[in-house]
Amino acid sequence: MIEDLWYKNAVIYSLDLETFMDANGDGVGDFAGLSRRLDYLQALGVDVIWLAPFQPTPNRDNGYDIEDYYGVDRRHGSSGDFVEFMYQANKRGIKVLIDLVVNHTSSKHPWFEDARRSEKSEHRDWYIWSKEKPENSEDGVVFPGVQETTWTYDKQAKAYYFHRFFEFQPDLNIDNPEVRAEIRRILGYWLQLGVAGFRVDALPFVLESAGPDHTKPVMRFEYIREFRRFLQWRQGDAILLGEANVLPEEIDQYFGKEGDGSHLLFNFYVNQHLFYTLASADVQPLIDALEATRNIAPVSQWAHFLRNHDELDLGRLTDEQRQAVFARFGPEPSMQIYERGIRRRVASMIGNRPQIELAYSLMFSMPGTPVLRYGDEIGMGENLDLKERDAVRTPMQWCADPQSGFSMAEKLVHPVIDEGPFGYKHVNVEAQRRDPDSFLNWITALIRLRKECPEIGWGQWRILPTGNPKVLAIHYSWRGNTVLVIHNFDPHPQEIHLSLKPENETRLVDLLANEQSEADEKGVHQIRLSSYGYRWFRAGSLSYLLNLAE
Ligand code: NOJ
């Protein structure tokens, strides 16, 4: 059954254990805390939790520096707490994705410790070495301004080792079959403990082989298919969600032409153009980005998001477009990072409720699967006093109690936001639950609506001409059902005329308000949108259940 592809219409919620809920009062979030908050997540309506890395780590890159792939960092609890959490999540019908961080290990990982000891070490060839400093060692740093090189000399090893990211994250040598066998063991281990799949960290770099003399990296896309095959043999419905900020012409290789690569990929390309469109009200670049990423295999799927735990990366925009986004959403130098991005959260960046709603309504209605970041459902802000990307990694704001109800400890892993309009006394779950007009209640309704529109995850889509450069209309059809979503990026109200004559869709029922639109005798609908307004319609009748039979 095609419906078995559960990821086509799931709502994913991403969180970092460290800052979500601290049950034992040591100032760091843990599995026991998260387990207590599962009822909250279930009520919010999310189907999947994506957990940031929680394995033992020196924690120099927010856990993306792992020193043991088969454990739980003691700060977050025990393996027993993990299994208990899995049981509790699955009991509520919530699936769990975890990060697969195998481009690199921590430099404290026993494999690297062994590798540096001698050229004869068992794990020497698990990493990438060079006797001489390669010529291109300053190229390709991922964190410009903070990271200086991709090759660092190790005295003990008497050689340079390659690291795409920080120097404490040595890259694994993916060409070594033993490394790939170990990656399969890691997949197998966590599948056995019940996870539904993996968010594959830094996918392009995982697949990049150093090449014979380190001068020309070679992409080995066969490895993603190899991991996929293994995954599917072990667990038929498990998925890979790849982190690959790549150009449209490269996506085929990541998804696999037949859909035999990564099941899902984050759509960074659309994400960046979406922010440009929010900044400029010009919908054409967003339309172009959607069209450029349209052709994927039927089993493949995009994951759409507004923000994640990193910077809002604008590297794929033109300089002019990027400056426009900076000017609107991150004008201060302290808000910008790595010469390409913004280190702010959605609500503080956009700054007004109608446009924030517009952004989420759009994200939830683009062709793909929506991914929501913890805290964004209540409109949390950032703390620019924290370093780099930590600005957007502050503790979840549960209530107005000290430490925002996140922890009983005095000192926390990151301080809570306690000042200004985004401080926890103003922005928290408890207050918003009681307020029918809160953002939390609004987004809960949006999640429900998205789940009632399977056409978006499954359907054929096309952009309808609106005759207005500030208004975007997307038409979905699936099994004789139609959903139509319309977004006005302008602060001024707009009126558009939509011809649905070819489809003979004469009646559109508004899914958010008690209204409907009847076409005139030429088959044209006249539709009004408020300032930053958005409307979701279904053609014919409110219910999609009518035509579902196969
Ligand atoms: C991408 C992750 O999202 C980021 O947080 C991390 O620093 C790098 N990969 C390195 O693992």
Side-chain angles (χ1 to χ4, degrees), residues 464-466 475 482 484 486 495-509 516-528 535 537-540:
L464 296 182
T466 63
H475 182 279
T482 291
L484 179 59
I486 309 177
E495 188 174 284
I496 58 161
H497 296 92
L498 277 185
S499 168
L500 293 174
K501 186 146 180 85
E503 292 82 1
N504 198 22
E505 287 163 354
T506 52
R507 183 158 165 251
L508 297 176
V509 184
Q516 59 185 51
S517 163
E518 298 288 348
D520 64 18
E521 64 285 357
K522 294 197 188 102
V524 174
H525 290 268
Q526 183 182 343
I527 292 170
R528 267 169 290 113
R535 300 187 71 175
F537 293 102
R538 180 166 274 121

Side-chain angles (χ1 to χ4, degrees), residues 101-317:
V101 188
V102 292
N103 173 66
H104 48 267
T105 66
S106 159
S107 53
K108 296 274 179 271
H109 196 294
W111 302 335
F112 190 67
E113 299 281 12
D114 177 53
R116 53 204 293 227
R117 227 166 268 143
S118 137
E119 279 186 37
K120 307 232 156 44
S121 296
E122 188 191 337
H123 295 95
R124 182 69 163 200
D125 191 46
W126 283 40
Y127 295 87
I128 300 160
W129 303 97
S130 173
K131 284 261 175 239
E132 310 297 328
K133 187 171 190 169
E135 269 173 30
N136 56 354
S137 62
E138 260 84 75
D139 296 350
V141 296
V142 175
F143 305 119
V146 190
Q147 179 193 357
E148 278 164 17
T149 178
T150 52
W151 287 92
T152 293
Y153 188 70
D154 185 73
K155 277 199 199 129
Q156 202 186 352
K158 300 194 188 58
Y160 290 84
Y161 63 92
F162 179 67
H163 51 90
R164 175 57 71 186
F165 297 95
F166 292 115
E167 86 288 350
F168 52 83
Q169 293 164 313
D171 273 38
L172 283 164
N173 176 11
I174 192 78
D175 287 329
N176 182 334
E178 285 178 32
V179 168
R180 297 203 305 283
E182 189 70 38
I183 293 174
R184 293 195 295 272
R185 258 192 294 280
I186 296 167
L187 293 170
Y189 176 85
W190 293 104
L191 285 175
Q192 204 66 31
L193 290 183
V195 305
F198 301 84
R199 177 259 189 196
V200 188
D201 185 58
L203 180 54
F205 300 133
V206 174
L207 303 178
E208 179 187 74
S209 130
D213 55 359
H214 306 317
T215 50
K216 222 170 173 242
V218 187
M219 294 305 291
R220 305 292 302 268
F221 290 103
E222 63 271 32
Y223 295 154
I224 185 71
R225 294 194 295 274
E226 180 183 314
F227 296 138
R228 161 79 180 259
R229 269 196 308 275
F230 173 82
L231 187 83
Q232 237 72 96
W233 272 111
R234 280 290 162 97
Q235 191 177 307
D237 64 350
I239 60 149
L240 299 173
L241 162 55
E243 186 215 14
N245 181 355
V246 294
L247 289 167
E249 50 269 32
E250 300 169 288
I251 57 183
D252 256 2
Q253 292 170 296
Y254 289 88
F255 278 126
K257 255 223 154 316
E258 311 297 324
D260 55 351
S262 189
H263 300 74
L264 294 129
L265 290 174
F266 287 106
N267 199 327
F268 284 92
Y269 195 71
V270 161
N271 173 263
Q272 308 189 22
H273 289 89
L274 185 161
F275 272 94
Y276 174 70
T277 292
L278 287 172
S280 64
D282 176 7
V283 300
Q284 195 56 47
L286 175 59
I287 294 177
D288 294 344
L290 286 166
E291 293 291 358
T293 54
R294 165 193 286 282
N295 287 325
I296 60 177
V299 296
S300 303
Q301 179 77 322
W302 286 114
H304 288 297
F305 62 103
L306 290 177
R307 289 290 288 111
N308 59 24
H309 60 292
D310 293 325
E311 76 281 10
L312 167 61
D313 188 337
L314 304 168
R316 299 279 177 213
L317 299 181

Side-chain angles (χ1 to χ4, degrees), residues 341-352:
I342 298 181
R343 53 186 208 120
R344 304 185 73 189
R345 276 197 183 248
V346 177
S348 42
M349 195 160 47
I350 296 182
N352 68 85

